[in-house]
Amino acid sequence: MNPTELIELDARGLDCPLPLLTATRAINQMASGDTLRVLATDSGSVRDFEVFCRQSGHQLRSSDERAGVYVHVLKKS
């Protein structure tokens, strides 16, 4: 059994919908169970990642804001 991988994606400075599109491309390349951590500065990314995970079946493990940077952690289904 392989351990799951943590991949970090820096989408800071990208405007909607680019953080989500970039993350979607990354998650499509990942194995089931891997975790994607996305850093974004677009406030719309909060809603975007909630909807994306609800529709795609991936888990949104957390979504926090720290000093203007939104940190989204997703687990691929």
Side-chain angles (χ1 to χ4, degrees):
M1 181 174 193
N2 293 334
T4 60
E5 189 172 350
L6 172 63
I7 297 165
E8 185 163 294
L9 176 67
D10 187 351
R12 291 177 288 187
L14 300 178
D15 292 326
C16 184
L18 291 177
L20 180 60
L21 293 175
T22 306
T24 300
R25 279 189 231 124
I27 209 164
N28 286 339
Q29 301 299 315
M30 295 166 50
S32 180
D34 285 351
T35 301
L36 178 65
R37 183 173 183 250
V38 182
L39 306 175
T41 49
D42 177 34
S43 63
S45 67
V46 174
R47 182 194 69 248
D48 291 345
F49 281 100
E50 289 173 358
V51 171
F52 170 71
C53 287
R54 190 170 46 246
Q55 291 178 346
S56 67
H58 303 303
Q59 295 177 19
L60 182 59
R61 304 293 294 249
S62 65
S63 190
D64 299 308
E65 185 268 331
R66 297 179 194 136
V69 177
Y70 299 89
V71 181
H72 310 287
V73 178
L74 296 77
K75 183 175 181 181
K76 182 171 180 172
S77 58

